[in-house]
Amino acid sequence: MKHKNLVRLLCLLCLLILVGCGIGKGQPSPALQEPQEGMQEDGTVLVHIGGTFTAMVRGKIPDYVTSSETPSVAVVTLFQSTPFLLFFDNPDEAMEQLEAGEYYVFEISGKQVEMSRAEYEEEPGFADRMIARYGLTISDFRIAGEDEIGIGVGEQIVKRQDKK
């Protein structure tokens, strides 16, 4: 008799646990749900990113893949940050015009990339991380004005162009 009551109690407990987990509610598991608009089946989102940012040119170096002698890559820093590399759509013209020690506003060539859902929902990263992560190139640049240099300059971030 004790064993029958114990078995019934365990069955009732299992039933309550299953109901509490949502198994009996008829909801499909998240893996079986249709992807949301813009999201691909693997959980990534196609996003067109681009924008402008201000950086100081620290130097010009060769690409070493295309030529070990002709400079075609700029070494730049955001305001008070570590150096990173910029690749240009037209490197010959850019290397002629850029001068070390000058601040420039660089325009990133727009590019469609895949982002994870979590990364998409976060704020976009600073230009140095986004350029390296997605292999972005520079399409245009100009000398920066005084009001475009320093802390708090809003254009140092690469903006997703799908957001308004």
Side-chain angles (χ1 to χ4, degrees), residues 102-153:
E102 290 287 330
Y103 279 97
Y104 293 89
V105 176
F106 295 98
E107 183 177 332
I108 295 174
S109 300
K111 183 176 183 181
Q112 189 166 350
V113 300
E114 287 185 4
M115 287 185 178
S116 69
R117 188 72 182 169
E119 184 180 10
Y120 177 77
E121 290 173 353
E122 292 176 2
E123 285 297 314
F126 280 98
D128 55 348
R129 286 178 269 169
M130 297 291 277
I131 287 169
R133 183 178 298 150
Y134 297 111
L136 302 174
T137 59
I138 304 302
S139 62
D140 197 16
F141 60 91
R142 62 178 170 77
I143 294 179
E146 285 226 8
D147 59 334
E148 297 173 304
I149 301 170
I151 295 176
V153 177

Side-chain angles (χ1 to χ4, degrees), residues 7-73:
V7 170
R8 287 180 187 159
L9 182 62
L10 286 174
C11 288
L12 180 62
L13 183 61
C14 288
L15 179 64
L16 289 174
I17 289 173
L18 289 175
V19 169
C21 291
I23 299 295
K25 295 181 183 176
Q27 296 175 349
S29 73
L32 299 176
Q33 292 179 353
E34 292 294 318
Q36 295 176 358
E37 184 178 334
M39 186 188 294
Q40 299 180 33
E41 288 187 25
D42 63 356
T44 60
V45 181
L46 283 176
V47 179
H48 191 79
I49 60 175
T52 61
F53 65 96
T54 303
M56 176 188 271
V57 174
R58 299 293 181 170
K60 300 181 271 189
I61 61 172
D63 186 349
Y64 294 112
V65 173
T66 57
S67 169
S68 62
E69 296 176 15
T70 307
S72 61
V73 178

